[in-house]
PDB file of all heavy atoms in Angstrom:
ATOM      1  N   SER A   2     159.175 316.709 148.856  1.00 50.00           N
ATOM      2  CA  SER A   2     158.789 318.063 148.496  1.00 50.00           C
ATOM      3  C   SER A   2     158.529 318.161 146.988  1.00 50.00           C
ATOM      4  O   SER A   2     159.007 317.350 146.208  1.00 50.00           O
ATOM      5  CB  SER A   2     159.870 319.061 148.907  1.00 50.00           C
ATOM      6  OG  SER A   2     160.978 318.943 148.029  1.00 50.00           O
ATOM      7  N   ARG A   3     157.816 319.199 146.622  1.00 48.00           N
ATOM      8  CA  ARG A   3     157.471 319.380 145.206  1.00 48.00           C
ATOM      9  C   ARG A   3     158.731 319.552 144.344  1.00 48.00           C
ATOM     10  O   ARG A   3     158.847 319.011 143.269  1.00 48.00           O
ATOM     11  CB  ARG A   3     156.542 320.574 145.065  1.00 48.00           C
ATOM     12  CG  ARG A   3     156.067 320.783 143.670  1.00 48.00           C
ATOM     13  CD  ARG A   3     155.089 321.936 143.598  1.00 48.00           C
ATOM     14  NE  ARG A   3     154.562 321.994 142.267  1.00 48.00           N
ATOM     15  CZ  ARG A   3     153.296 321.812 141.943  1.00 48.00           C
ATOM     16  NH1 ARG A   3     152.435 321.554 142.885  1.00 48.00           N
ATOM     17  NH2 ARG A   3     152.908 321.880 140.704  1.00 48.00           N
ATOM     18  N   SER A   4     159.705 320.346 144.847  1.00 47.00           N
ATOM     19  CA  SER A   4     160.922 320.549 144.069  1.00 47.00           C
ATOM     20  C   SER A   4     161.750 319.279 143.958  1.00 47.00           C
ATOM     21  O   SER A   4     162.337 318.993 142.921  1.00 47.00           O
ATOM     22  CB  SER A   4     161.751 321.696 144.637  1.00 47.00           C
ATOM     23  OG  SER A   4     162.195 321.376 145.926  1.00 47.00           O
ATOM     24  N   ALA A   5     161.789 318.475 145.039  1.00 47.00           N
ATOM     25  CA  ALA A   5     162.521 317.207 144.970  1.00 47.00           C
ATOM     26  C   ALA A   5     161.835 316.257 143.990  1.00 47.00           C
ATOM     27  O   ALA A   5     162.515 315.543 143.242  1.00 47.00           O
ATOM     28  CB  ALA A   5     162.585 316.570 146.361  1.00 47.00           C
ATOM     29  N   ARG A   6     160.507 316.269 143.950  1.00 50.00           N
ATOM     30  CA  ARG A   6     159.772 315.423 143.013  1.00 50.00           C
ATOM     31  C   ARG A   6     160.045 315.877 141.570  1.00 50.00           C
ATOM     32  O   ARG A   6     160.237 315.059 140.674  1.00 50.00           O
ATOM     33  CB  ARG A   6     158.276 315.498 143.306  1.00 50.00           C
ATOM     34  CG  ARG A   6     157.476 314.512 142.496  1.00 50.00           C
ATOM     35  CD  ARG A   6     156.063 314.446 142.964  1.00 50.00           C
ATOM     36  NE  ARG A   6     156.102 314.724 144.387  1.00 50.00           N
ATOM     37  CZ  ARG A   6     155.085 315.039 145.138  1.00 50.00           C
ATOM     38  NH1 ARG A   6     153.920 315.082 144.660  1.00 50.00           N
ATOM     39  NH2 ARG A   6     155.179 315.325 146.394  1.00 50.00           N
ATOM     40  N   THR A   7     160.098 317.204 141.360  1.00 48.00           N
ATOM     41  CA  THR A   7     160.392 317.723 140.035  1.00 48.00           C
ATOM     42  C   THR A   7     161.777 317.294 139.588  1.00 48.00           C
ATOM     43  O   THR A   7     161.965 316.852 138.439  1.00 48.00           O
ATOM     44  CB  THR A   7     160.290 319.267 140.022  1.00 48.00           C
ATOM     45  OG1 THR A   7     158.960 319.632 140.416  1.00 48.00           O
ATOM     46  CG2 THR A   7     160.587 319.837 138.661  1.00 48.00           C
ATOM     47  N   VAL A   8     162.745 317.386 140.489  1.00 44.00           N
ATOM     48  CA  VAL A   8     164.113 316.960 140.164  1.00 44.00           C
ATOM     49  C   VAL A   8     164.135 315.459 139.869  1.00 44.00           C
ATOM     50  O   VAL A   8     164.779 315.018 138.924  1.00 44.00           O
ATOM     51  CB  VAL A   8     165.091 317.324 141.309  1.00 44.00           C
ATOM     52  CG1 VAL A   8     166.442 316.664 141.120  1.00 44.00           C
ATOM     53  CG2 VAL A   8     165.242 318.835 141.407  1.00 44.00           C
ATOM     54  N   ALA A   9     163.416 314.655 140.692  1.00 48.00           N
ATOM     55  CA  ALA A   9     163.361 313.213 140.459  1.00 48.00           C
ATOM     56  C   ALA A   9     162.728 312.909 139.105  1.00 48.00           C
ATOM     57  O   ALA A   9     163.218 312.050 138.357  1.00 48.00           O
ATOM     58  CB  ALA A   9     162.580 312.523 141.586  1.00 48.00           C
ATOM     59  N   ASN A  10     161.640 313.598 138.779  1.00 51.00           N
ATOM     60  CA  ASN A  10     160.989 313.379 137.478  1.00 51.00           C
ATOM     61  C   ASN A  10     161.907 313.747 136.322  1.00 51.00           C
ATOM     62  O   ASN A  10     162.005 313.030 135.333  1.00 51.00           O
ATOM     63  CB  ASN A  10     159.689 314.186 137.364  1.00 51.00           C
ATOM     64  CG  ASN A  10     158.570 313.588 138.188  1.00 51.00           C
ATOM     65  OD1 ASN A  10     158.605 312.428 138.546  1.00 51.00           O
ATOM     66  ND2 ASN A  10     157.571 314.387 138.507  1.00 51.00           N
ATOM     67  N   LEU A  11     162.593 314.870 136.446  1.00 48.00           N
ATOM     68  CA  LEU A  11     163.517 315.313 135.411  1.00 48.00           C
ATOM     69  C   LEU A  11     164.656 314.313 135.257  1.00 48.00           C
ATOM     70  O   LEU A  11     165.067 313.968 134.150  1.00 48.00           O
ATOM     71  CB  LEU A  11     164.050 316.701 135.699  1.00 48.00           C
ATOM     72  CG  LEU A  11     164.969 317.314 134.656  1.00 48.00           C
ATOM     73  CD1 LEU A  11     164.280 317.354 133.295  1.00 48.00           C
ATOM     74  CD2 LEU A  11     165.380 318.697 135.065  1.00 48.00           C
ATOM     75  N   GLY A  12     165.153 313.810 136.390  1.00 50.00           N
ATOM     76  CA  GLY A  12     166.194 312.781 136.347  1.00 50.00           C
ATOM     77  C   GLY A  12     165.729 311.531 135.652  1.00 50.00           C
ATOM     78  O   GLY A  12     166.452 310.934 134.836  1.00 50.00           O
ATOM     79  N   PHE A  13     164.500 311.111 135.923  1.00 50.00           N
ATOM     80  CA  PHE A  13     163.963 309.912 135.291  1.00 50.00           C
ATOM     81  C   PHE A  13     163.825 310.109 133.795  1.00 50.00           C
ATOM     82  O   PHE A  13     164.238 309.262 132.985  1.00 50.00           O
ATOM     83  CB  PHE A  13     162.583 309.569 135.899  1.00 50.00           C
ATOM     84  CG  PHE A  13     161.879 308.463 135.185  1.00 50.00           C
ATOM     85  CD1 PHE A  13     162.304 307.150 135.299  1.00 50.00           C
ATOM     86  CD2 PHE A  13     160.798 308.745 134.376  1.00 50.00           C
ATOM     87  CE1 PHE A  13     161.669 306.140 134.610  1.00 50.00           C
ATOM     88  CE2 PHE A  13     160.168 307.726 133.693  1.00 50.00           C
ATOM     89  CZ  PHE A  13     160.587 306.445 133.814  1.00 50.00           C
ATOM     90  N   VAL A  14     163.272 311.258 133.377  1.00 49.00           N
ATOM     91  CA  VAL A  14     163.114 311.525 131.946  1.00 49.00           C
ATOM     92  C   VAL A  14     164.471 311.608 131.267  1.00 49.00           C
ATOM     93  O   VAL A  14     164.658 311.074 130.163  1.00 49.00           O
ATOM     94  CB  VAL A  14     162.296 312.822 131.735  1.00 49.00           C
ATOM     95  CG1 VAL A  14     162.320 313.257 130.285  1.00 49.00           C
ATOM     96  CG2 VAL A  14     160.852 312.607 132.187  1.00 49.00           C
ATOM     97  N   SER A  15     165.449 312.236 131.924  1.00 49.00           N
ATOM     98  CA  SER A  15     166.787 312.310 131.343  1.00 49.00           C
ATOM     99  C   SER A  15     167.405 310.931 131.202  1.00 49.00           C
ATOM    100  O   SER A  15     168.009 310.609 130.175  1.00 49.00           O
ATOM    101  CB  SER A  15     167.700 313.178 132.227  1.00 49.00           C
ATOM    102  OG  SER A  15     167.214 314.494 132.262  1.00 49.00           O
ATOM    103  N   ALA A  16     167.244 310.086 132.224  1.00 47.00           N
ATOM    104  CA  ALA A  16     167.769 308.730 132.155  1.00 47.00           C
ATOM    105  C   ALA A  16     167.096 307.938 131.044  1.00 47.00           C
ATOM    106  O   ALA A  16     167.760 307.185 130.309  1.00 47.00           O
ATOM    107  CB  ALA A  16     167.583 308.023 133.500  1.00 47.00           C
ATOM    108  N   MET A  17     165.775 308.120 130.886  1.00 50.00           N
ATOM    109  CA  MET A  17     165.063 307.445 129.795  1.00 50.00           C
ATOM    110  C   MET A  17     165.596 307.908 128.445  1.00 50.00           C
ATOM    111  O   MET A  17     165.809 307.108 127.538  1.00 50.00           O
ATOM    112  CB  MET A  17     163.549 307.737 129.863  1.00 50.00           C
ATOM    113  CG  MET A  17     162.805 306.997 130.933  1.00 50.00           C
ATOM    114  SD  MET A  17     162.572 305.273 130.571  1.00 50.00           S
ATOM    115  CE  MET A  17     161.466 305.387 129.177  1.00 50.00           C
ATOM    116  N   ALA A  18     165.818 309.210 128.301  1.00 46.00           N
ATOM    117  CA  ALA A  18     166.298 309.750 127.023  1.00 46.00           C
ATOM    118  C   ALA A  18     167.677 309.194 126.703  1.00 46.00           C
ATOM    119  O   ALA A  18     167.942 308.809 125.559  1.00 46.00           O
ATOM    120  CB  ALA A  18     166.340 311.278 127.059  1.00 46.00           C
ATOM    121  N   ILE A  19     168.547 309.136 127.707  1.00 45.00           N
ATOM    122  CA  ILE A  19     169.898 308.621 127.467  1.00 45.00           C
ATOM    123  C   ILE A  19     169.857 307.144 127.138  1.00 45.00           C
ATOM    124  O   ILE A  19     170.475 306.710 126.181  1.00 45.00           O
ATOM    125  CB  ILE A  19     170.794 308.892 128.701  1.00 45.00           C
ATOM    126  CG1 ILE A  19     171.076 310.398 128.803  1.00 45.00           C
ATOM    127  CG2 ILE A  19     172.111 308.106 128.608  1.00 45.00           C
ATOM    128  CD1 ILE A  19     171.695 310.808 130.105  1.00 45.00           C
ATOM    129  N   SER A  20     169.099 306.373 127.935  1.00 46.00           N
ATOM    130  CA  SER A  20     169.081 304.923 127.684  1.00 46.00           C
ATOM    131  C   SER A  20     168.372 304.587 126.372  1.00 46.00           C
ATOM    132  O   SER A  20     168.825 303.709 125.651  1.00 46.00           O
ATOM    133  CB  SER A  20     168.418 304.178 128.844  1.00 46.00           C
ATOM    134  OG  SER A  20     167.061 304.523 128.958  1.00 46.00           O
TER     135      SER A  20
END
Side-chain angles (χ1 to χ4, degrees):
S2 74
R3 184 177 186 116
S4 64
R6 187 170 329 165
T7 300
V8 169
N10 285 340
L11 183 56
F13 172 73
V14 170
S15 297
M17 285 286 293
I19 290 168
S20 65

